Amino acid sequence: MKYAYTILYVEDVEKTMSFYENAFGFQKKFITPEHDYGELLSGETTIAFASHSLGNSNFKKGFKQLSINEKPNGIEMAFTTENIEDDFNKAIKAGAIEYEPIIEKPWGQKVGYLRDINGFLIEICTPIKN
C-alpha cells in the first residue's frame, strides 16, 4: 500500500490550482477537459482537487463542503520549507489567510498556519531537525 493522493473538494478547481501554483510554487500536472478534477506536482504524494459537483456524483450520501466563513475542519496539509517567513508571506500575498502566526516550537521547529482560498488549513513549517 502507498499513500498516493490527497483530494480536496472545491468550488472552482482551476482557480484553486492557480492559487496553489502562485502561493506555493507547485506546478500543474493534469486537469480534465471539464475542469472538474486536477492534480499538482507536489512531491511523493499528489495534491488533487475535485469539484463539488464531482464530489456529489461520487458520494451518494453527500459530503460537508468547507466554507471559508466557518472554522476549518480538523485536518491540515503541511508544507516544509527552509524559508518559512518568505514562503508564508508569499502565500498571503497570493490570497491565503493567516490563521496562526509563525512561532518556534520547543523542539526548534518553526510553524505557522494559513487557510487557502477555500478554507482548508495549511501548515507551513521548517523541517524537524534530528
Side-chain angles (χ1 to χ4, degrees), residues 102-130:
I102 298 169
I103 62 167
E104 188 167 334
K105 298 290 188 174
W107 51 90
Q109 182 187 35
K110 289 184 178 181
V111 176
Y113 296 91
L114 303 167
R115 290 188 77 183
D116 80 356
I117 60 172
N118 301 287
F120 292 102
L121 269 177
I122 298 172
E123 175 182 331
I124 306 293
C125 59
T126 56
I128 294 175
K129 308 284 186 196
N130 290 331

mmCIF file of all heavy atoms in Angstrom, residues 102-130:
data_model
loop_
_atom_site.group_PDB
_atom_site.id
_atom_site.type_symbol
_atom_site.label_atom_id
_atom_site.label_comp_id
_atom_site.label_asym_id
_atom_site.label_seq_id
_atom_site.Cartn_x
_atom_site.Cartn_y
_atom_site.Cartn_z
ATOM 1 N N ILE A 102 3.539 32.530 12.657
ATOM 2 C CA ILE A 102 4.701 31.650 12.805
ATOM 3 C C ILE A 102 5.238 31.757 14.231
ATOM 4 O O ILE A 102 5.440 32.866 14.746
ATOM 5 C CB ILE A 102 5.813 32.040 11.808
ATOM 6 C CG1 ILE A 102 5.311 31.874 10.372
ATOM 7 C CG2 ILE A 102 7.072 31.216 12.054
ATOM 8 C CD1 ILE A 102 6.233 32.467 9.327
ATOM 9 N N ILE A 103 5.438 30.603 14.841
ATOM 10 C CA ILE A 103 6.069 30.548 16.165
ATOM 11 C C ILE A 103 7.139 29.458 16.138
ATOM 12 O O ILE A 103 7.133 28.596 15.254
ATOM 13 C CB ILE A 103 5.061 30.250 17.303
ATOM 14 C CG1 ILE A 103 4.395 28.889 17.112
ATOM 15 C CG2 ILE A 103 4.019 31.351 17.416
ATOM 16 C CD1 ILE A 103 3.637 28.397 18.340
ATOM 17 N N GLU A 104 8.043 29.517 17.102
ATOM 18 C CA GLU A 104 9.039 28.464 17.242
ATOM 19 C C GLU A 104 8.600 27.515 18.342
ATOM 20 O O GLU A 104 8.291 27.928 19.454
ATOM 21 C CB GLU A 104 10.422 29.045 17.561
ATOM 22 C CG GLU A 104 11.498 27.979 17.522
ATOM 23 C CD GLU A 104 12.908 28.544 17.525
ATOM 24 O OE1 GLU A 104 13.099 29.690 17.068
ATOM 25 O OE2 GLU A 104 13.813 27.832 17.964
ATOM 26 N N LYS A 105 8.537 26.234 18.001
ATOM 27 C CA LYS A 105 8.147 25.198 18.949
ATOM 28 C C LYS A 105 9.320 24.878 19.879
ATOM 29 O O LYS A 105 10.467 25.176 19.556
ATOM 30 C CB LYS A 105 7.714 23.927 18.196
ATOM 31 C CG LYS A 105 6.505 24.128 17.298
ATOM 32 C CD LYS A 105 5.259 24.338 18.123
ATOM 33 C CE LYS A 105 4.011 24.341 17.254
ATOM 34 N NZ LYS A 105 2.793 24.392 18.015
ATOM 35 N N PRO A 106 9.049 24.285 21.045
ATOM 36 C CA PRO A 106 10.130 23.971 21.996
ATOM 37 C C PRO A 106 11.242 23.103 21.407
ATOM 38 O O PRO A 106 12.386 23.158 21.855
ATOM 39 C CB PRO A 106 9.402 23.233 23.130
ATOM 40 C CG PRO A 106 7.988 23.706 23.050
ATOM 41 C CD PRO A 106 7.731 23.956 21.592
ATOM 42 N N TRP A 107 10.945 22.324 20.380
ATOM 43 C CA TRP A 107 11.952 21.445 19.773
ATOM 44 C C TRP A 107 12.706 22.136 18.640
ATOM 45 O O TRP A 107 13.506 21.531 17.954
ATOM 46 C CB TRP A 107 11.321 20.142 19.278
ATOM 47 C CG TRP A 107 10.125 20.341 18.398
ATOM 48 C CD1 TRP A 107 10.109 20.470 17.034
ATOM 49 C CD2 TRP A 107 8.773 20.444 18.813
ATOM 50 N NE1 TRP A 107 8.833 20.663 16.572
ATOM 51 C CE2 TRP A 107 7.972 20.637 17.661
ATOM 52 C CE3 TRP A 107 8.128 20.389 20.061
ATOM 53 C CZ2 TRP A 107 6.594 20.781 17.718
ATOM 54 C CZ3 TRP A 107 6.744 20.522 20.086
ATOM 55 C CH2 TRP A 107 6.008 20.715 18.927
ATOM 56 N N GLY A 108 12.440 23.460 18.433
ATOM 57 C CA GLY A 108 13.208 24.255 17.480
ATOM 58 C C GLY A 108 12.577 24.433 16.114
ATOM 59 O O GLY A 108 13.078 25.204 15.303
ATOM 60 N N GLN A 109 11.498 23.743 15.834
ATOM 61 C CA GLN A 109 10.823 23.863 14.544
ATOM 62 C C GLN A 109 9.965 25.128 14.530
ATOM 63 O O GLN A 109 9.300 25.455 15.503
ATOM 64 C CB GLN A 109 9.937 22.635 14.320
ATOM 65 C CG GLN A 109 9.222 22.645 12.988
ATOM 66 C CD GLN A 109 8.227 21.505 12.863
ATOM 67 O OE1 GLN A 109 7.591 21.110 13.841
ATOM 68 N NE2 GLN A 109 8.089 20.974 11.659
ATOM 69 N N LYS A 110 9.973 25.851 13.403
ATOM 70 C CA LYS A 110 9.092 26.998 13.215
ATOM 71 C C LYS A 110 7.849 26.537 12.469
ATOM 72 O O LYS A 110 7.944 25.784 11.487
ATOM 73 C CB LYS A 110 9.784 28.103 12.427
ATOM 74 C CG LYS A 110 10.874 28.811 13.200
ATOM 75 C CD LYS A 110 11.438 29.955 12.384
ATOM 76 C CE LYS A 110 12.482 30.714 13.153
ATOM 77 N NZ LYS A 110 13.008 31.839 12.352
ATOM 78 N N VAL A 111 6.669 27.015 12.921
ATOM 79 C CA VAL A 111 5.391 26.568 12.381
ATOM 80 C C VAL A 111 4.431 27.753 12.309
ATOM 81 O O VAL A 111 4.327 28.537 13.257
ATOM 82 C CB VAL A 111 4.773 25.464 13.280
ATOM 83 C CG1 VAL A 111 3.400 25.056 12.787
ATOM 84 C CG2 VAL A 111 5.685 24.260 13.373
ATOM 85 N N GLY A 112 3.726 27.884 11.197
ATOM 86 C CA GLY A 112 2.661 28.865 11.034
ATOM 87 C C GLY A 112 1.520 28.232 10.272
ATOM 88 O O GLY A 112 1.717 27.259 9.535
ATOM 89 N N TYR A 113 0.321 28.769 10.439
ATOM 90 C CA TYR A 113 -0.862 28.181 9.811
ATOM 91 C C TYR A 113 -1.593 29.203 8.953
ATOM 92 O O TYR A 113 -1.774 30.356 9.352
ATOM 93 C CB TYR A 113 -1.816 27.636 10.878
ATOM 94 C CG TYR A 113 -1.214 26.503 11.661
ATOM 95 C CD1 TYR A 113 -0.502 26.753 12.833
ATOM 96 C CD2 TYR A 113 -1.328 25.191 11.224
ATOM 97 C CE1 TYR A 113 0.066 25.714 13.555
ATOM 98 C CE2 TYR A 113 -0.764 24.148 11.943
ATOM 99 C CZ TYR A 113 -0.068 24.415 13.103
ATOM 100 O OH TYR A 113 0.495 23.386 13.803
ATOM 101 N N LEU A 114 -2.026 28.745 7.795
ATOM 102 C CA LEU A 114 -2.782 29.549 6.848
ATOM 103 C C LEU A 114 -4.077 28.823 6.500
ATOM 104 O O LEU A 114 -4.205 27.624 6.751
ATOM 105 C CB LEU A 114 -1.984 29.718 5.543
ATOM 106 C CG LEU A 114 -0.604 30.332 5.624
ATOM 107 C CD1 LEU A 114 0.143 30.121 4.311
ATOM 108 C CD2 LEU A 114 -0.712 31.809 5.942
ATOM 109 N N ARG A 115 -4.998 29.560 5.897
ATOM 110 C CA ARG A 115 -6.152 28.939 5.247
ATOM 111 C C ARG A 115 -6.072 29.299 3.770
ATOM 112 O O ARG A 115 -5.761 30.439 3.420
ATOM 113 C CB ARG A 115 -7.454 29.447 5.849
ATOM 114 C CG ARG A 115 -7.633 28.922 7.275
ATOM 115 C CD ARG A 115 -8.955 29.236 7.844
ATOM 116 N NE ARG A 115 -9.968 28.317 7.272
ATOM 117 C CZ ARG A 115 -11.262 28.397 7.563
ATOM 118 N NH1 ARG A 115 -11.705 29.333 8.381
ATOM 119 N NH2 ARG A 115 -12.114 27.552 7.043
ATOM 120 N N ASP A 116 -6.325 28.315 2.918
ATOM 121 C CA ASP A 116 -6.306 28.595 1.485
ATOM 122 C C ASP A 116 -7.588 29.323 1.080
ATOM 123 O O ASP A 116 -8.421 29.637 1.937
ATOM 124 C CB ASP A 116 -6.042 27.318 0.681
ATOM 125 C CG ASP A 116 -7.260 26.428 0.478
ATOM 126 O OD1 ASP A 116 -8.353 26.709 1.015
ATOM 127 O OD2 ASP A 116 -7.116 25.419 -0.233
ATOM 128 N N ILE A 117 -7.755 29.573 -0.189
ATOM 129 C CA ILE A 117 -8.908 30.348 -0.664
ATOM 130 C C ILE A 117 -10.234 29.628 -0.484
ATOM 131 O O ILE A 117 -11.288 30.242 -0.593
ATOM 132 C CB ILE A 117 -8.724 30.792 -2.130
ATOM 133 C CG1 ILE A 117 -8.570 29.576 -3.060
ATOM 134 C CG2 ILE A 117 -7.547 31.749 -2.253
ATOM 135 C CD1 ILE A 117 -8.587 29.925 -4.538
ATOM 136 N N ASN A 118 -10.181 28.323 -0.184
ATOM 137 C CA ASN A 118 -11.391 27.537 0.059
ATOM 138 C C ASN A 118 -11.656 27.330 1.546
ATOM 139 O O ASN A 118 -12.710 26.846 1.925
ATOM 140 C CB ASN A 118 -11.275 26.169 -0.615
ATOM 141 C CG ASN A 118 -11.067 26.284 -2.096
ATOM 142 O OD1 ASN A 118 -11.981 26.625 -2.835
ATOM 143 N ND2 ASN A 118 -9.846 26.036 -2.543
ATOM 144 N N GLY A 119 -10.672 27.645 2.387
ATOM 145 C CA GLY A 119 -10.817 27.464 3.823
ATOM 146 C C GLY A 119 -10.031 26.299 4.394
ATOM 147 O O GLY A 119 -10.066 26.069 5.602
ATOM 148 N N PHE A 120 -9.315 25.542 3.560
ATOM 149 C CA PHE A 120 -8.525 24.420 4.060
ATOM 150 C C PHE A 120 -7.328 24.922 4.858
ATOM 151 O O PHE A 120 -6.724 25.932 4.514
ATOM 152 C CB PHE A 120 -8.033 23.540 2.907
ATOM 153 C CG PHE A 120 -9.145 22.794 2.220
ATOM 154 C CD1 PHE A 120 -9.636 23.233 1.002
ATOM 155 C CD2 PHE A 120 -9.703 21.670 2.798
ATOM 156 C CE1 PHE A 120 -10.667 22.563 0.365
ATOM 157 C CE2 PHE A 120 -10.741 20.989 2.175
ATOM 158 C CZ PHE A 120 -11.219 21.439 0.953
ATOM 159 N N LEU A 121 -6.989 24.204 5.926
ATOM 160 C CA LEU A 121 -5.834 24.542 6.759
ATOM 161 C C LEU A 121 -4.544 24.075 6.106
ATOM 162 O O LEU A 121 -4.458 22.940 5.633
ATOM 163 C CB LEU A 121 -5.936 23.855 8.120
ATOM 164 C CG LEU A 121 -6.620 24.592 9.245
ATOM 165 C CD1 LEU A 121 -6.681 23.694 10.481
ATOM 166 C CD2 LEU A 121 -5.941 25.900 9.572
ATOM 167 N N ILE A 122 -3.552 24.953 6.127
ATOM 168 C CA ILE A 122 -2.227 24.626 5.617
ATOM 169 C C ILE A 122 -1.205 25.015 6.663
ATOM 170 O O ILE A 122 -1.196 26.149 7.147
ATOM 171 C CB ILE A 122 -1.937 25.367 4.303
ATOM 172 C CG1 ILE A 122 -2.948 24.935 3.238
ATOM 173 C CG2 ILE A 122 -0.502 25.118 3.848
ATOM 174 C CD1 ILE A 122 -2.883 25.743 1.977
ATOM 175 N N GLU A 123 -0.364 24.074 7.026
ATOM 176 C CA GLU A 123 0.756 24.344 7.926
ATOM 177 C C GLU A 123 1.985 24.590 7.072
ATOM 178 O O GLU A 123 2.295 23.806 6.177
ATOM 179 C CB GLU A 123 1.006 23.146 8.843
ATOM 180 C CG GLU A 123 2.228 23.312 9.725
ATOM 181 C CD GLU A 123 2.498 22.088 10.589
ATOM 182 O OE1 GLU A 123 1.553 21.368 10.952
ATOM 183 O OE2 GLU A 123 3.682 21.866 10.895
ATOM 184 N N ILE A 124 2.661 25.693 7.329
ATOM 185 C CA ILE A 124 3.965 25.961 6.729
ATOM 186 C C ILE A 124 4.965 25.795 7.866
ATOM 187 O O ILE A 124 4.818 26.430 8.925
ATOM 188 C CB ILE A 124 4.057 27.389 6.149
ATOM 189 C CG1 ILE A 124 2.915 27.677 5.175
ATOM 190 C CG2 ILE A 124 5.418 27.624 5.506
ATOM 191 C CD1 ILE A 124 2.955 26.882 3.901
ATOM 192 N N CYS A 125 5.964 24.947 7.661
ATOM 193 C CA CYS A 125 6.884 24.675 8.763
ATOM 194 C C CYS A 125 8.285 24.387 8.239
ATOM 195 O O CYS A 125 8.462 24.032 7.075
ATOM 196 C CB CYS A 125 6.392 23.500 9.606
ATOM 197 S SG CYS A 125 6.204 21.958 8.692
ATOM 198 N N THR A 126 9.233 24.557 9.113
ATOM 199 C CA THR A 126 10.597 24.143 8.794
ATOM 200 C C THR A 126 10.700 22.638 9.073
ATOM 201 O O THR A 126 9.925 22.088 9.868
ATOM 202 C CB THR A 126 11.622 24.905 9.653
ATOM 203 O OG1 THR A 126 11.316 24.704 11.045
ATOM 204 C CG2 THR A 126 11.627 26.384 9.340
ATOM 205 N N PRO A 127 11.625 21.969 8.386
ATOM 206 C CA PRO A 127 11.800 20.536 8.672
ATOM 207 C C PRO A 127 12.216 20.325 10.124
ATOM 208 O O PRO A 127 12.885 21.172 10.719
ATOM 209 C CB PRO A 127 12.910 20.120 7.720
ATOM 210 C CG PRO A 127 12.955 21.173 6.659
ATOM 211 C CD PRO A 127 12.507 22.438 7.333
ATOM 212 N N ILE A 128 11.808 19.203 10.686
ATOM 213 C CA ILE A 128 12.247 18.849 12.041
ATOM 214 C C ILE A 128 13.680 18.348 11.949
ATOM 215 O O ILE A 128 13.985 17.473 11.133
ATOM 216 C CB ILE A 128 11.333 17.779 12.662
ATOM 217 C CG1 ILE A 128 9.931 18.349 12.868
ATOM 218 C CG2 ILE A 128 11.909 17.256 13.982
ATOM 219 C CD1 ILE A 128 8.916 17.336 13.377
ATOM 220 N N LYS A 129 14.543 18.916 12.731
ATOM 221 C CA LYS A 129 15.963 18.525 12.746
ATOM 222 C C LYS A 129 16.159 17.424 13.779
ATOM 223 O O LYS A 129 15.742 17.555 14.914
ATOM 224 C CB LYS A 129 16.853 19.726 13.089
ATOM 225 C CG LYS A 129 16.618 20.950 12.240
ATOM 226 C CD LYS A 129 17.214 20.825 10.879
ATOM 227 C CE LYS A 129 17.049 22.153 10.145
ATOM 228 N NZ LYS A 129 17.242 22.055 8.749
ATOM 229 N N ASN A 130 16.780 16.356 13.354
ATOM 230 C CA ASN A 130 17.086 15.251 14.279
ATOM 231 C C ASN A 130 18.493 15.334 14.782
ATOM 232 O O ASN A 130 19.396 15.743 14.218
ATOM 233 C CB ASN A 130 16.879 13.901 13.597
ATOM 234 C CG ASN A 130 15.411 13.647 13.346
ATOM 235 O OD1 ASN A 130 14.546 14.122 14.074
ATOM 236 N ND2 ASN A 130 15.122 12.885 12.308
#
